[in-house]
Amino acid sequence: MLLLGIFVLTVALAELASSEGQETVLVLGGQGLAGSATLDALLHHQHKVAALNNGKNYYDYEEMFSSRITNIGCIRSSGIKNCFEFLEFVRGSPKVRAVVDFTSSDGDLMRDAVAAVADLHPAVYIFVSAAAIYDVTKDSEHPLKEEDGVRPDAGKRAAYAASNPFGDKMLSSEEVLLASGLPYVIVRSADLIGPRDTTYRWWQYQLWAEHFKTVNQGFPIPNELSGLPFSLASGEDVAQVVTKIIEKKKVNTVYNVAIEKTFTLPILLLDLCTHVNKDKECYADYTDSSEAYYLYPSNHQGTLSIEKAKTELNFEPSLWQSVLKTTVDFYTEAKALYTPERDTVLRRLNENVVPYLRLDPLTKEIYLEAGEIKKTLETFEQYSIPKEEL
C-alpha cells in the first residue's frame, strides 16, 4: 500500500510539473455531446483545459472532469467580463493556446465572447457551428462545401433567414467572429448523434422505438422530408477535428464535419429500430401535416462534403455502425443512471407524442425498467392503478 501511495503521489507531481507553463485551451461550454467528447480528447492529448459554463452538470460531467480541468462558473447572458471566476482566471495571466466555443449561438453572444478573450491573445478561436447555416446561405448543390456558406443576394436574405432561425443565428455568430480580427477556425458540424446529448433528440427516438407497442404511434415523417438526404456527425468527430486544428496550427479557415454516410429520416429510424427492436415492428406515419413531430434533420439543404477536413487534417470520420451501437448502449444504461435527463426525455415524449391515455403506461414501463419501484408506486398512486399491475 505504501508503494502504491508513493507511485500515485509521484504521478500527480509529474502531472503538476508538466502543466506548469503549459498553454491552456479555454472551452466555452463543454457540457453536451460534442463538448464533453472534446474535453476528453483535449485531456487525452495532454492539453491543460479550462471550461467556462453555467455550472449545470449533465449526465456524468462532474465525475469525468471536475478534478481534471479548471471550471469557470459563468452565466453567459450576464456577459463573460462580468463573471467573477472568469476575471480570476484572467488575473492568473494564463497562456491561452486556443479558445473552443460551443455556446455563442447568436451574434450578440459571439460579440461578447470575442471581446472577453481578445486580451488573452489566443492563437486560434475555434467556433463549433452547425450545418443549419447552409439553409440560409446561397443556393448550392449537395454535398455542401465550406465555400457555399455565404449569404444569398439581398432580395432573398430575409426569406432564407426566416426558413431556419437557428441557422441564421449561427451564421451571424460566424460573421461576428470573422469581423473580430481574431485568428479563427469554424467547424460546421452535421446534426450530432452520441452519448451525453443535451438536446435529447436521439434519446426520444430511442425510447419511442424501445417501447413502440406502448406508444402505439408510428414515427411521423413529413412527406416533403421523406427523401431528403442529410449528414450526421458524432461527438468524437468534432473532438478529432478540434484537436487536429490545434495540433496542425490551422487558422482562418472552415471545415465541415460529418460521418461518411448519407441518411434520410426513414433510413435513420429504420437503423435505430433494427438495432433496438429486433423482434418487434416499428412503422412510420407519412404525413403532409406541418405540425408533424420530427427531430432530424435541422438543415434541409443536403449532405456535407468533408473532403477538405480529410485532406488538410487527415480527418477519419466515425463508422456509423460503431456510433449507433455506442449511442444505443449509452442511453440504455442511462435510463437507470441519469434519471433527471431521462425524465426530461419522457416529458417531451409525453407532451409531443404519447396521447394522454397511453402516457401513464409508458412512464410506468420506463420506471420499472430502470428499477425504480418506489418511484413507480408513488407516481401511479394518484391514478389509482392497482399495485399488482405494477
Side-chain angles (χ1 to χ4, degrees), residues 47-297:
H47 290 286
K48 187 178 179 181
V49 179
L52 183 148
N53 54 53
N54 59 13
K56 293 181 180 178
N57 295 323
Y58 299 95
Y59 300 103
D60 53 355
Y61 178 90
E62 185 172 11
E63 178 185 339
M64 288 182 69
F65 301 117
S66 63
S67 64
R68 302 168 67 199
I69 67 176
T70 299
N71 285 288
I72 304 170
C74 184
I75 305 299
R76 286 291 314 268
S77 59
S78 301
I80 295 177
K81 283 190 173 182
N82 294 322
C83 294
F84 175 79
E85 291 186 24
F86 177 74
L87 296 177
E88 287 292 294
F89 172 74
V90 172
R91 283 195 192 100
S93 302
K95 299 176 182 178
V96 175
R97 171 71 185 88
V99 174
V100 184
D101 184 353
F102 291 96
T103 62
S104 294
S105 54
D106 63 43
D108 289 338
L109 287 172
M110 179 61 76
R111 203 168 285 110
D112 172 67
V114 296
V117 305
D119 290 341
L120 297 174
H121 306 292
V124 62
Y125 191 115
I126 302 171
F127 175 49
V128 181
S129 186
I133 70 102
Y134 290 111
D135 278 9
V136 300
T137 58
K138 66 180 184 179
D139 296 323
S140 305
E141 295 183 358
H142 73 96
L144 298 160
K145 298 180 176 63
E146 290 82 356
E147 57 266 30
D148 295 326
V150 295
R151 298 278 187 184
D153 295 336
K156 297 180 179 179
R157 289 191 180 191
Y160 281 33
S163 73
N164 192 325
F166 169 67
D168 181 54
K169 289 179 179 180
M170 293 298 276
L171 187 56
S172 294
S173 295
E174 292 187 13
E175 291 165 340
V176 171
L177 176 57
L178 265 63
S180 72
L182 289 174
Y184 70 88
V185 175
I186 293 167
V187 176
R188 293 182 184 142
S189 173
D191 280 338
L192 288 158
I193 299 284
R196 303 176 184 86
D197 182 14
T198 53
T199 70
Y200 306 117
R201 291 186 294 171
W202 174 271
W203 201 356
Q204 288 181 68
Y205 275 139
Q206 183 170 327
L207 278 182
W208 192 340
E210 289 169 338
H211 299 269
F212 202 85
K213 183 177 179 180
T214 300
V215 175
N216 194 29
Q217 181 171 317
F219 298 116
I221 298 179
N223 285 319
E224 64 179 0
L225 299 182
S226 62
L228 178 70
F230 61 89
S231 295
L232 295 172
S234 75
E236 284 69 24
D237 290 327
V238 173
Q240 180 191 159
V241 166
V242 167
T243 55
K244 288 189 173 184
I245 288 167
I246 296 172
E247 172 194 331
K248 295 178 180 294
K249 300 182 179 179
K250 295 292 186 180
V251 293
N252 300 338
T253 190
V254 182
Y255 295 106
N256 288 337
V257 179
I259 293 169
E260 212 159 24
K261 175 181 170 68
T262 298
F263 296 88
T264 62
L265 187 53
I267 286 173
L268 176 62
L269 295 174
L270 179 61
D271 281 356
L272 168 61
C273 284
T274 302
H275 193 87
V276 306
N277 223 343
K278 295 179 175 63
D279 300 324
K280 301 173 186 177
E281 182 179 352
C282 297
Y283 62 89
D285 283 337
Y286 291 88
T287 176
D288 289 323
S289 172
S290 60
E291 303 298 319
Y293 187 66
Y294 70 95
L295 301 169
Y296 296 96

